Amino acid sequence: MNHDPAQQRSWQLITAALTATMGPGQDRARWTMFLCPVHEADGQNHTPSLGVRYDPAQGKTIVRCFAHCDDEDVLGKVGLRVRDMWDRLPERNPNQPHHRGQRRPPSQAQRSQQQRVSLADRAIDYARLPIPSKPDLGEAIGPTENVCAYLYRRADGREEGVVVRKKTPHEGGEKKSFTQSRWNGTEWEPTGFAPIPYRLPEVLDGVQTGREIYVVEGEKDVLRAMQAGQIATCNTMGAGNWTPEHAQWLHGAARVIVVADRDRPGYHHAAKVAETLHGHVGEVRVLQAAAGKDLSDHLDAGHSIEDLEMVPYLDRHYRQPHPGPQQQRQTTRSR
């Protein structure tokens, strides 16, 4: 296989765009350094702080501003997108999602499950997350009220279902609950609906245009992320309910950032999401709030999206390139 960066599509595209906009780069030991088009485009003299190098293992050109400018912003300044960092992204299945009856071979599913649980448990132990317990709220002292409704749409924008968030006052506080309804073409039926991600039309547009996509644990956090200018999604009914059918819609994305709730169910849920995406998108990250439990707490504390922290074990594992068939065979022979 040819690993000469000059012959790779992503390297040619990115370095040509940077050279045309900011001038030629300077070759260093590991990086080729350019002026950053985000913070060094003022015409003044600067020491170039934007590093570019080719990673043959990932088939990817890495773009890193050592002054911490976001690579999406850097690429946008020269007319490129995050997806342009890869020579070739995983192909999207035009017939997605798979039918409900399709399943991976049991042996492979068992191996994936064992690996996922092991990684999540190691992360939980490292973070010293407590065993969850449900507080005793006592007796209900008032009627259940609807708080908000989250409409799920199909790829073509048609209504598929709705999730309603409710609250019931109790002696020791408010208890939240959720109900689902499916649109049958004439009325809403009180039942579940197809396993599609929340804000699916926006997700598909993000996949097509190379935007980062955030996968969070609930609809409230989706809306907060979108208010912050990001594309985000989730599955219905919270942790533990993400499926390969949900993941199919994200195949071919340039980068997916899984935001884990900072608790045991949240870590397990994030590992499950990351496992279904690993090898099907350009890059997977697994991050968590710098303050509080979830993304809403993180933003309420005054942090930005860029301040999310890595989840121990999970982020390092899933951000690594997914081994292809040839690499897997080599690994097996070396054992």
Side-chain angles (χ1 to χ4, degrees):
M1 182 179 294
N2 184 7
H3 289 167
D4 180 4
Q7 303 301 317
Q8 307 305 327
R9 172 194 170 277
S10 60
W11 173 267
Q12 292 177 341
L13 188 63
I14 290 173
T15 55
L18 286 169
T19 300
T21 306
M22 304 303 298
Q26 302 174 10
D27 291 332
R28 303 285 174 81
R30 190 180 181 204
W31 300 87
T32 298
M33 303 301 297
F34 290 87
L35 292 172
C36 175
V38 175
H39 77 283
E40 295 174 334
D42 56 5
Q44 303 298 315
N45 290 327
H46 297 279
T47 300
S49 61
L50 180 69
V52 180
R53 67 180 177 87
Y54 185 74
D55 184 350
Q58 300 186 68
K60 171 186 177 183
T61 297
I62 297 173
V63 177
R64 179 177 301 170
C65 176
F66 292 95
H68 305 295
C69 294
D70 186 85
D71 53 13
E72 183 175 4
D73 295 335
V74 170
L75 293 169
K77 289 291 186 179
V78 296
L80 300 178
R81 302 170 295 177
V82 170
R83 69 185 302 118
D84 293 320
M85 295 166 62
W86 280 265
D87 292 336
R88 181 176 179 272
L89 289 172
E91 292 186 0
R92 185 173 175 77
N93 181 356
N95 298 317
Q96 63 185 320
H98 287 174
H99 296 297
R100 289 177 178 267
Q102 293 183 350
R103 293 291 184 269
R104 288 190 287 183
S107 59
Q108 181 180 352
Q110 288 175 351
R111 289 196 299 271
S112 297
Q113 175 71 12
Q114 290 170 356
Q115 182 184 55
R116 182 168 63 248
V117 171
S118 175
L119 284 169
D121 286 340
R122 289 165 66 187
I124 288 168
D125 289 342
Y126 183 87
R128 298 182 179 181
L129 298 178
I131 297 175
S133 60
K134 291 186 178 181
D136 183 6
L137 298 178
E139 298 293 329
I141 57 174
T144 299
E145 300 178 2
N146 293 344
V147 177
C148 53
Y150 305 109
L151 182 63
Y152 281 67
R153 295 185 181 275
R154 303 177 191 176
D156 60 7
R158 289 183 296 162
E159 297 173 341
E160 168 63 27
V162 66
V163 173
V164 178
R165 179 173 182 158
K166 302 171 179 286
K167 67 177 181 180
T168 306
H170 283 64
E171 294 172 333
E174 292 183 345
K175 181 179 180 180
K176 68 177 180 180
S177 60
F178 298 86
T179 60
Q180 298 182 72
S181 298
R182 182 179 70 88
W183 181 248
N184 64 13
T186 57
E187 61 181 0
W188 291 100
E189 296 179 348
T191 184
F193 49 88
I196 59 175
Y198 186 43
R199 306 302 289 259
L200 178 56
E202 291 94 331
V203 169
L204 294 178
D205 182 68
V207 172
Q208 183 66 31
T209 58
R211 292 279 304 276
E212 291 181 338
I213 298 174
Y214 288 73
V215 179
V216 296
E217 195 170 301
E219 294 91 353
K220 177 182 176 182
D221 282 354
V222 169
L223 298 182
R224 291 298 302 274
M226 299 191 80
Q227 289 171 2
Q230 305 298 327
I231 295 177
T233 189
C234 69
N235 55 272
T236 61
M237 309 309 284
N241 291 296
W242 180 270
T243 68
E245 286 87 351
H246 292 99
Q248 288 284 335
W249 295 104
L250 278 71
H251 285 188
R255 176 186 292 154
V256 177
I257 299 174
V258 183
V259 183
D261 275 18
R262 195 186 283 268
D263 56 21
R264 288 171 179 256
Y267 273 30
H268 281 290
H269 179 75
K272 184 176 183 179
V273 174
E275 180 69 24
T276 63
L277 296 173
H278 196 214
H280 298 291
V281 303
E283 184 177 57
V284 179
R285 298 297 307 274
V286 185
L287 308 180
Q288 63 186 345
K293 175 186 174 183
D294 55 24
L295 181 62
S296 293
D297 291 342
H298 174 88
L299 296 173
D300 288 341
H303 294 287
S304 69
I305 290 282
E306 291 74 21
D307 297 329
L308 289 167
E309 300 177 347
M310 295 182 295
V311 173
Y313 291 101
L314 297 181
D315 183 68
R316 182 172 62 181
H317 174 80
Y318 287 111
R319 72 186 300 185
Q320 299 301 315
H322 189 279
Q326 181 178 0
Q327 184 177 349
Q328 288 177 336
R329 289 194 295 270
Q330 292 173 347
T331 301
T332 301
R333 288 197 297 266
S334 67
R335 290 178 180 174

